[in-house]
Amino acid sequence: MLEQCYFDLSGPILCPVLGSITPLFIPNSRIRPIRLIGLCASLITFLYPPVLRIQFDPSTAKSQFVESLRWLPYENINFYLGIDGISLFFVILTTFLIPICILVGWSGMRSYGKEYITASLIREFLMIAVFCMLDPLLFYVLPESVPIPMLIIIGVWGSRQRKIKAAYQFFLYTLLGSVFMLLAILLILLQTGTTDLQISLTTEFSERRQIFLWIASFASFAVKVPMVPVHIWSPEAHVEAPTAGSVILAGIPLKLGTYGFLRFSIPMFPEATLCSTPFIYTPSAIAIIYTSSTTLRQIDLKKIIAYSSVAHMNLVTIGMFSRNIQGIGGSILPMSSHGLVSSALFLCVGVLYDRHKTRLVRYYGGSVSTMPNLPTIFFSSTLANMSSPGTSSFIGEFLILVGAFQRNSLVATLAALGMILGAAYSLWLYNRAVSGNLKPDFLHKFSDPNGREVSIFIPFLVGLVWMGVHPKVFPDCMHTSVSNLVQHGKFH
């Protein structure tokens, strides 16, 4: 049963929708009011998560703040909304990043400013709805709608001539991978007579059907993670996207695949999950080593961070499919942390690109003596990216290794090796971009982050440290939901 509460999810979902519609009635020439409306709408939306967190009851695994709206009554398909300890922090992360993205594009998105604000807020609505959705059909529809505003943002405000190709590649990869997911949902509808997630979770599927449904959902979620070899779209999309696009792409859409595994594949098809664990472990371990090694060979600052993100997300999949509380709970922490760490690194690269109009590593060096504040911010983000103790990434990745070691010591060893490589490429990136000698033949003007840019970085730095030194708040909220997930799948 679903647990009712006097507070609901209409506010954080409808607020971005209203904020995206309002600028359409304002002339393009009045860009400042348009920006203010978009920023205010995103900030009001951000005020809802503290209320959700205060009223949230961590002692139950039931969905809370539940709402239901009849959508297709003839097929018994309803618009079910609710959150639990797993989805709560993804809602918080989404509402945190959208105001940041609007501020990042405050001065740079002068052309089509109205359209940029509208696309950003529609994207926020879709992503919040994804993490609150309790109907598998709409859970399919909403993630497949997220690439549409991302396609527009990359294609219109991208930084190079390859942006159109990267936008279409991103869109087609995610779309084609999801066709099989739709077939799986239709099969579930035929067997259960509804797409209610709660009913689907209690339905007994035969082992053969479970395997078929699991493979179909895997084809969709693996592209979104992304797992090797369907990861090619990710570095290209990051490189061609504007800074704000890279921030939100790394922060939220990359989590849709792993969240889909947690919400759909693992609890609904436990026997198939058990059989497919080696199939997940092998490409994930290979991906960590491969992408970490590939990162050391890149020459574009954004592509280095993009490949790093692929390595981190494949470590998350190892934790999830360890099928124990340490692995699954630990995998949720790095997903939240990665949304902060990778976003902060992309923002650092964006600051450099805004000043020098290049992202090639060979042109940089020596900025520690000319831009003292940026290297400090860059170094803090680098420490978190390499999972140093005291930063947001350490606890989660440690728990993943603990959970993986209980299942397969070889996979855990390879994952630990990937973390060592992660430290290598993180320090290599920082050293090449910040340390060394100045190169006046290529770079001439230097200026530290301005007040707006510093105000953007401060919340990230606070989050990186707070999650590292006081991580208890996260396990406290999610422990019951994670335990229920493990027990529901009868994983031992």
Side-chain angles (χ1 to χ4, degrees):
M1 294 296 293
L2 301 177
E3 186 171 291
Q4 297 289 340
C5 185
Y6 66 89
F7 186 81
D8 57 48
L9 297 170
S10 300
I13 289 179
L14 293 180
C15 190
V17 176
L18 296 176
S20 66
I21 294 174
T22 305
L24 300 178
F25 300 97
I26 302 176
N28 281 318
S29 57
R30 303 186 63 188
I31 186 63
R32 183 173 178 80
I34 292 173
R35 290 171 176 165
L36 288 174
I37 289 173
L39 181 61
C40 289
S42 63
L43 289 175
I44 292 173
T45 307
F46 180 60
L47 294 178
Y48 280 95
V51 181
L52 291 174
R53 174 62 189 90
I54 292 171
Q55 298 184 16
F56 185 81
D57 181 9
S59 64
T60 178
K62 300 175 182 178
S63 296
Q64 303 177 47
F65 315 110
V66 171
E67 292 185 60
S68 177
L69 176 67
R70 295 185 71 82
W71 193 52
L72 289 177
Y74 298 107
E75 295 296 337
N76 200 19
I77 299 173
N78 299 317
F79 197 82
Y80 273 123
L81 296 174
I83 59 173
D84 62 1
I86 294 175
S87 56
L88 173 63
F89 294 106
F90 294 107
V91 175
I92 295 174
L93 182 62
T94 302
T95 59
F96 169 76
L97 288 178
I98 293 298
I100 298 293
C101 291
I102 292 176
L103 285 173
V104 169
W106 193 263
S107 58
M109 306 301 179
R110 299 185 183 277
S111 60
Y112 304 106
K114 178 194 298 186
E115 290 77 6
Y116 174 74
I117 295 297
T118 299
S120 297
L121 292 176
I122 290 176
R123 183 176 50 181
E124 180 175 27
F125 152 70
L126 292 171
M127 291 186 296
I128 293 175
V130 168
F131 296 124
C132 298
M133 189 53 58
L134 298 177
D135 184 281
L137 180 60
L138 291 173
F139 184 79
Y140 164 81
V141 171
L142 291 169
E144 299 318 306
S145 302
V146 171
I148 297 176
M150 285 302 307
L151 170 72
I152 296 172
I153 288 174
I154 296 173
V156 175
W157 295 281
S159 56
R160 301 193 309 184
Q161 293 181 351
R162 289 170 54 89
K163 60 184 181 182
I164 302 298
K165 178 183 177 181
Y168 278 116
Q169 188 179 48
F170 163 63
F171 183 77
L172 292 175
Y173 260 79
T174 54
L175 179 64
L176 294 177
S178 300
V179 173
F180 299 100
M181 175 72 172
L182 180 59
L183 296 176
I185 293 172
L186 292 176
L187 187 58
I188 292 172
L189 177 61
L190 290 174
Q191 177 167 339
T192 63
T194 180
T195 56
D196 187 335
L197 182 62
Q198 303 301 318
I199 296 177
S200 300
L201 289 174
T202 57
T203 301
E204 292 287 341
F205 298 99
S206 66
E207 183 175 354
R208 184 175 181 180
R209 178 161 291 188
Q210 277 196 38
I211 293 174
F212 172 80
L213 294 173
W214 188 94
I215 293 174
S217 61
F218 171 80
S220 173
F221 299 143
V223 174
K224 293 180 176 65
V225 172
M227 298 181 69
V228 173
V230 289
H231 69 291
I232 303 299
W233 65 267
S234 180
E236 287 296 320
H238 279 298
V239 168
E240 303 303 330
T243 300
S246 296
V247 167
I248 198 64
L249 181 59
I252 303 298
L254 289 188
K255 314 299 181 294
L256 295 180
T258 48
Y259 180 78
F261 282 131
L262 286 174
R263 180 62 68 216
F264 191 84
S265 300
I266 294 177
M268 198 174 297
F269 317 124
E271 294 179 15
T273 298
L274 189 63
C275 296
S276 62
T277 297
F279 177 70
I280 292 291
Y281 273 172
T282 302
S284 295
I286 293 174
I288 292 172
I289 305 299
Y290 165 72
T291 54
S292 298
S293 302
T294 303
T295 301
L296 292 168
R297 300 176 58 249
Q298 301 304 313
I299 61 174
D300 186 292
L301 292 172
K302 267 194 173 184
K303 190 166 283 191
I304 293 171
I305 302 170
Y307 273 106
S308 168
S309 296
V310 176
H312 283 292
M313 294 311 297
N314 278 271
L315 179 63
V316 167
T317 59
I318 288 179
M320 288 190 302
F321 283 87
S322 295
R323 312 184 312 280
N324 49 40
I325 294 177
Q326 295 90 340
I328 295 177
S331 67
I332 298 173
L333 289 175
M335 281 193 276
S336 302
S337 172
H338 179 263
L340 299 177
V341 176
S342 61
S343 298
L345 289 171
F346 278 119
L347 287 172
C348 291
V349 173
V351 170
L352 293 173
Y353 182 80
D354 288 343
R355 286 151 176 76
H356 307 301
K357 304 304 177 185
T358 182
R359 291 192 299 267
L360 296 181
V361 178
R362 63 185 179 187
Y363 294 137
Y364 287 99
S367 59
V368 67
S369 59
T370 56
M371 304 167 63
N373 292 331
L374 180 63
T376 302
I377 298 170
F378 206 149
F379 184 66
S380 301
S381 303
T382 299
L383 288 177
N385 195 49
M386 54 192 286
S387 305
S388 297
T391 62
S392 58
S393 303
F394 175 73
I395 297 297
E397 296 196 4
F398 172 76
L399 289 175
I400 287 176
L401 292 179
V402 171
F405 193 84
Q406 293 178 9
R407 296 297 181 187
N408 191 311
S409 58
L410 176 60
V411 170
T413 302
L414 292 175
L417 177 59
M419 293 177 65
I420 296 173
L421 291 174
Y425 63 65
S426 297
L427 292 175
W428 174 84
L429 170 62
Y430 179 80
N431 182 62
R432 291 290 301 272
V434 173
S435 303
N437 299 320
L438 286 172
K439 299 175 182 177
D441 293 339
F442 305 113
L443 307 180
H444 308 286
K445 298 179 181 179
F446 300 91
S447 60
D448 241 353
N450 55 37
R452 176 180 62 85
E453 292 168 332
V454 171
S455 66
I456 291 172
F457 278 116
I458 288 175
F460 285 98
L461 297 179
V462 172
L464 296 180
V465 175
W466 178 63
M467 286 184 67
V469 300
H470 188 64
K472 183 176 182 294
V473 62
F474 294 89
D476 284 351
C477 285
M478 70 178 70
H479 179 76
T480 304
S481 297
V482 172
S483 299
N484 181 70
L485 175 62
V486 174
Q487 293 172 4
H488 179 82
K490 300 178 176 62
F491 300 133
H492 302 288

